[in-house]
Amino acid sequence: MQTLNVKLQDLAEGASGKIRFIAGPPWFRQRMYELGLLPGVQVKLVKRAPLGGPIVVEFLTQRLALSPKEANWIHVDVV
Amino acid sequence: MLRVALVGNPNSGKSTLFTALTGESAIVGNWPGVTVELRKGLCTIEDQQCEVIDLPGCYSLLGTNPDEQVAAQFLERGDYDVILNVVDSTSLERSLMLTLELTDLQKPMVVALNFFDELQKSGATIDTAKFSEILGVPAVAVSAVVGFNLPVLKEALLRPRVPNVMLLDRTVENLIRTSQKDSQLTRFSALHQIVNNGSALDDVFSSLDGVHPSEHIIMERYRKAHEVASQVMTKLPNKWAVSDLLDHVFLHPRAGIPAFLVVVYLVFRIIFAIGQPLTELAAAVVSYAATGLTSLLPNGLAKNFINNALFGGVGNVLSFLPLIFTMFFVVSLLENTGYMARASLIMDRWLSRFGLSGKSFISLILGFGCNVPAVLSTRTIDDPVERKVAAMVIPLIPCSARLPVLTVLGAALFGSRAITVVVFAYVIAVLFSLVLAWLLRHLAFSKVPSFFALELPPYRRPSLRLTFKLAWFRSRDFLGKAFKVVLPLTVVFWLLMNLPPNSSVENSFLGLIGRFLSRTLLAPLHLNWQVSSALVFGLVAKEAVLSSLGQIYGLSGTALIEQIGRQFTFASGLSFITFFVLYVPCAATVGALRKEVGTFWTVVQFVLQIAVAYVGSLLVFSLVSLFFK
Ligand SMILES: Nc1nc2c(ncn2[C@@H]2O[C@H](COP(=O)(O)OP(=O)(O)OP(=O)(O)O)[C@@H](O)[C@H]2O)c(=O)[nH]1
Ligand SMILES: [Mg+2]
């Protein structure tokens, strides 16, 4: 399995990764940065909602729900 | 007077603290984005009068959502003496990013480390003395819900300090100095300017390896926040153990959706199982009082007024207070456990087909209480197009003011199974609001994909005392409206019904209006003139339809229900219910809508909603007459 530069959406449930970079439009990056989802921060994919819904990720002891499209903009290195 | 501004991340407990300090009512809920407007209250600390200002939560002062801008603009205007930064101490690192941004304002400040009860339970601690030393401001560990350390916090508010300047890296500091030299700016405004004009400064860009200055500044702040947090915090709190267990069910791939449906069902059952009998009791009390009082009065205009306008009108509406209260109680309970955020997550994918996201779900749910705060709550929706669409479909959601009318109509048509009609009305309303959302999203606005990111709070055990209070705050609006809006309307209705003097009701001004409407606009719906004239008053407030019906038939309670039952056939009854649920937003909602989406879209919304109601009720009429001959 490729461990570098994986999309957050493709992480397995329970797996962790370090943010490599965040793509997508500037307003999205800004929002994620404000929430503390920054390059270098470790995130864990906690849960996938039913029927391909949003995913729940944990970082800095907080949890965030993200819809799949946005989760595809976030690139991580699996750790 | 000392003016204290509560600033902090969403869901950090600002409104809870506000209520604890001032005793004023403020809505709290365990999900981010509850407060969207300024709210002020008073408190006294050691004989000193203080004004406390509750602000909407924000992650940064540069946020672009309208709710965040309310907070940012307030802080920039500077109409305050002390910033009380409310921090969720179980998410210290993230919270500190805003705290650091606040230090740039260089205003007197105090930090409240809230959720200390949860922090202690999770096994972590924060060295408040050290924290206070690093930032240069008083820091107090508190728990707003439990009331822990509030006296200490109050005292600290009297001796706030201007925070230390928290230096960022050399590149940023150089930039700040350059722009300060050019134009005498404060540190905060200088940073603001760099962020806003960053793209114009090409040399800046290259010095940051192509990273946008605003992003660079955030990353620097995070580095600093991390540094501070690791100095004052011994170990990271583990706060997800209980939530994980619950989420295992509520967000389970297969069980999640059935669990959601069960919750919705239970909410309905509880509201009606408890609220309905209490409401019947209240109705009995009202009609008992009415007969008792009117038997003492001599016949005449005064008796007519008291009997009709007061008891038949306002009394009918007031008797529904228990039902409304129960509803708010159950919803507040749901909001404060944290399930609301989960439900929005579950509904996200489903709603995305209609051009909405899980965030709109919360606003729509609030709409079942009252459309006005629901429309305002759309401010927290990130996507501007979705924000508009959500605000425009909310008025279709049946608010608590429509519930009494629906219950009466339901009882009139179905007797003891009134709840079926209520559920039918709710389903119809939700269906049509989704259709309208789809239409707006795909036809009126360009097809921009929606966006969903929501911070998920841990589940929390709601305090019964606070839930009771919350339900009461919200019911109080219902009660207040019964006197401030419904009562005057009832008087107008009564006057129209009794003028010109000595005419029969049918030939009164009211009868004229009613007959005109039922022959023209409402003719296709087969509504009689009595009902048509009552509908006019629903333009101002929906409860007024019930009070008007009560007046026009001169009845209340079960007698009114029986009388209405005789006016409708099965098909025309259901079609009327559909029309009533959907027809127009009330005056207050129109006002809120204008504030959020502008006059043009408010007019569009109004016309669309009437059209939807028309089409909907015609559809119901023909379908029902087709199947139930
Ligand atoms: N255990 C515990 N719960 C708290 C504490 N303070 C607040 N809460 C709960 O946290 C939730 C959020 O509180 P709010 O006061 O609505 O938060 P807010 O900062 O006003 O949130 P927004 O208006 O969304 O920005 C509520 O369910 C409160 O009951 C605390 O000190 N301890
Ligand atoms: Mg609040």
Side-chain angles (χ1 to χ4, degrees):
Chain A
M1 186 189 156
Q2 186 197 7
T3 54
L4 288 181
N5 202 359
V6 177
K7 286 173 182 165
L8 187 56
Q9 170 68 13
D10 300 333
L11 228 55
E13 221 173 81
S16 297
K18 249 197 173 87
I19 305 271
R20 194 183 170 96
F21 67 93
I22 297 181
W27 56 264
F28 172 72
R29 282 207 304 272
Q30 188 82 24
R31 193 96 194 133
M32 291 302 109
Y33 289 173
E34 282 167 17
L35 286 163
L37 205 60
L38 295 147
V41 169
Q42 182 154 333
V43 291
K44 181 172 136 194
L45 197 149
V46 180
K47 210 151 194 78
R48 289 174 185 282
L51 305 178
I55 58 168
V56 179
V57 294
E58 180 175 330
F59 57 96
L60 311 177
T61 74
Q62 59 177 337
R63 286 189 180 177
L64 183 74
L66 273 177
S67 61
K69 184 166 56 56
E70 282 79 47
N72 265 324
W73 284 334
I74 299 173
H75 296 250
V76 298
D77 296 332
V78 179
V79 291
Chain B
M1 190 153 65
L2 193 73
R3 292 160 306 172
V4 181
L6 290 169
V7 192
N9 289 158
N11 215 35
S12 57
K14 297 174 296 301
S15 300
T16 314
L17 194 57
F18 173 81
T19 310
L21 288 174
T22 65
E24 290 269 337
S25 58
I27 301 299
V28 302
N30 191 17
W31 42 276
V34 181
T35 311
V36 293
E37 280 192 305
L38 291 187
R39 191 169 186 113
K40 295 181 179 180
L42 294 176
C43 84
T44 348
I45 308 171
E46 293 177 8
D47 303 329
Q48 166 115 358
Q49 270 276 65
C50 296
E51 184 181 56
V52 184
I53 303 126
D54 186 19
L55 294 170
C58 52
Y59 291 110
S60 142
L61 299 180
L62 302 173
T64 48
N65 284 5
D67 61 320
E68 295 173 305
Q69 280 182 352
V70 169
Q73 280 163 8
F74 178 85
L75 287 174
E76 267 160 61
R77 271 203 311 276
D79 295 334
Y80 57 90
D81 304 303
V82 186
I83 296 177
L84 175 53
N85 177 211
V86 184
V87 163
D88 177 352
S89 53
T90 65
S91 296
L92 188 63
E93 221 163 299
R94 202 278 314 284
S95 311
L96 277 175
M97 285 167 70
L98 178 66
T99 308
L100 292 175
E101 200 172 341
L102 291 173
T103 62
D104 290 330
L105 282 167
Q106 290 290 299
K107 288 277 166 86
M109 192 161 126
V110 173
V111 176
L113 297 162
N114 197 20
F115 288 102
F116 217 68
D117 53 327
E118 283 192 4
L119 187 79
Q120 281 176 324
K121 243 182 262 164
S122 73
T125 52
I126 292 178
D127 185 344
T128 42
K130 190 150 190 188
F131 183 88
S132 153
E133 184 195 314
I134 295 173
L135 288 174
V137 297
V140 186
V142 298
S143 170
V145 159
V146 185
F148 167 72
N149 250 354
L150 291 186
V152 182
L153 178 67
K154 279 188 180 176
E155 204 189 300
L157 284 175
L158 295 182
R159 40 173 186 81
R161 295 247 306 275
V162 175
N164 297 337
V165 174
M166 304 299 282
L167 290 176
L168 301 174
D169 74 350
R170 267 229 318 278
T171 330
V172 180
E173 291 303 328
N174 282 338
L175 275 174
I176 293 174
R177 229 163 297 138
T178 323
S179 43
Q180 276 180 324
K181 217 176 288 158
D182 289 348
S183 51
Q184 303 288 311
L185 290 171
T186 61
R187 184 179 167 83
F188 181 77
S189 316
L191 274 163
H192 231 200
Q193 202 181 49
I194 295 167
V195 168
N196 290 332
N197 309 338
S199 45
L201 311 164
D202 277 342
D203 48 332
V204 176
F205 248 112
S206 54
S207 71
L208 296 173
D209 297 330
V211 177
H212 192 282
S214 66
E215 292 179 1
H216 181 82
I217 290 170
I218 297 183
M219 285 192 221
E220 261 307 297
R221 273 211 190 101
Y222 170 67
R223 195 184 53 76
K224 195 86 197 171
H226 180 70
E227 191 185 302
V228 176
S230 41
Q231 274 175 289
V232 298
M233 205 149 178
T234 44
K235 68 174 225 198
L236 285 181
N238 171 21
K239 58 175 183 180
W240 293 103
V242 178
S243 295
D244 268 337
L245 283 176
L246 288 167
D247 274 342
H248 195 68
V249 178
F250 288 123
L251 294 182
H252 189 274
R254 272 188 298 278
I257 291 170
F260 170 77
L261 295 174
V262 168
V263 170
V264 172
Y265 174 79
L266 281 180
V267 165
F268 248 100
R269 278 321 293 245
I270 294 172
I271 290 173
F272 280 89
I274 300 176
Q276 191 75 30
L278 288 176
T279 295
E280 273 157 27
L281 192 73
V285 170
V286 168
S287 53
Y288 182 77
T291 33
L293 201 68
T294 46
S295 65
L296 299 175
L297 290 168
N299 274 342
L301 223 51
K303 178 168 171 173
N304 181 325
F305 178 79
I306 292 179
N307 201 11
N308 255 326
L310 292 188
F311 286 103
V314 183
N316 260 331
V317 173
L318 279 185
S319 63
F320 278 91
L321 188 65
L323 186 66
I324 305 292
F325 181 86
T326 318
M327 182 177 109
F328 281 132
F329 187 85
V330 175
V331 172
S332 302
L333 211 58
L334 214 56
E335 273 184 82
N336 279 283
T337 50
Y339 185 69
M340 198 72 123
R342 270 72 183 183
S344 106
L345 201 159
I346 296 258
M347 294 307 284
D348 178 67
R349 196 176 143 70
W350 205 70
L351 283 174
S352 69
R353 306 212 171 136
F354 300 93
L356 297 172
S357 78
K359 273 238 171 128
S360 315
F361 174 78
I362 298 184
S363 297
L364 291 177
I365 290 293
L366 291 181
F368 284 100
C370 175
N371 287 175
V372 176
V375 167
L376 297 186
S377 78
T378 58
R379 290 181 184 179
T380 67
I381 296 172
D382 294 299
D383 171 6
V385 177
E386 186 193 339
R387 201 182 297 150
K388 222 174 218 160
V389 173
M392 285 172 72
V393 302
I394 283 171
L396 269 72
I397 298 290
C399 60
S400 60
R402 275 171 256 193
L403 191 56
V405 190
L406 287 174
T407 322
V408 165
L409 290 173
L413 288 174
F414 272 81
S416 58
R417 296 220 309 279
I419 188 172
T420 334
V421 170
V422 178
V423 173
F424 164 80
Y426 279 27
V427 170
I428 289 272
V430 169
L431 219 65
F432 277 105
S433 48
L434 290 178
V435 170
L436 187 63
W438 190 90
L439 286 175
L440 284 171
R441 188 78 192 210
H442 292 260
L443 301 180
F445 302 108
S446 58
K447 221 173 167 176
V448 208
S450 56
F451 162 75
F452 180 68
L454 184 74
E455 206 193 327
L456 223 49
Y459 287 97
R460 297 197 160 106
R461 187 208 309 258
S463 120
L464 275 188
R465 191 177 54 86
L466 287 182
T467 313
F468 210 81
K469 239 177 156 175
L470 263 177
W472 170 240
F473 291 158
R474 286 172 161 164
S475 321
R476 212 170 47 186
D477 289 343
F478 178 83
L479 205 60
K481 222 168 93 193
F483 287 107
K484 279 191 227 123
V485 185
V486 179
L487 183 60
L489 278 180
T490 315
V491 173
V492 173
F493 195 89
W494 184 82
L495 285 175
L496 286 176
M497 209 165 80
N498 288 289
L499 287 174
N502 299 324
S503 61
S504 69
V505 178
E506 192 147 5
N507 291 318
S508 66
F509 290 139
L510 188 78
L512 242 67
I513 299 171
R515 275 200 312 250
F516 172 74
L517 281 175
S518 79
R519 279 193 202 134
T520 52
L521 262 169
L522 301 174
L525 305 177
H526 307 281
L527 298 178
N528 62 17
W529 69 265
Q530 289 97 329
V531 175
S532 306
S533 60
L535 278 177
V536 176
F537 286 77
L539 291 171
V540 187
K542 303 286 178 172
E543 304 95 320
V545 173
L546 181 61
S547 73
S548 304
L549 284 173
Q551 275 201 77
I552 212 160
Y553 293 121
L555 298 166
S556 64
T558 40
L560 177 63
I561 290 172
E562 278 164 21
Q563 179 64 26
I564 294 176
R566 266 175 256 143
Q567 306 294 317
F568 290 100
T569 62
F570 186 56
S572 72
L574 282 184
S575 131
F576 174 61
I577 286 170
T578 311
F579 187 75
F580 167 74
V581 170
L582 299 174
Y583 78 122
V584 277
C586 70
T589 308
V590 170
L593 206 55
R594 235 187 101 202
K595 203 150 102 191
E596 298 307 310
V597 302
T599 310
F600 174 73
W601 287 111
T602 308
V603 173
V604 171
Q605 198 283 338
F606 200 86
V607 174
L608 272 179
Q609 185 163 352
I610 293 189
V612 167
Y614 232 89
V615 173
S617 74
L618 281 178
L619 215 67
V620 167
F621 186 78
S622 33
L623 281 180
V624 175
S625 349
L626 205 67
F627 289 109
F628 303 85
K629 271 264 163 62

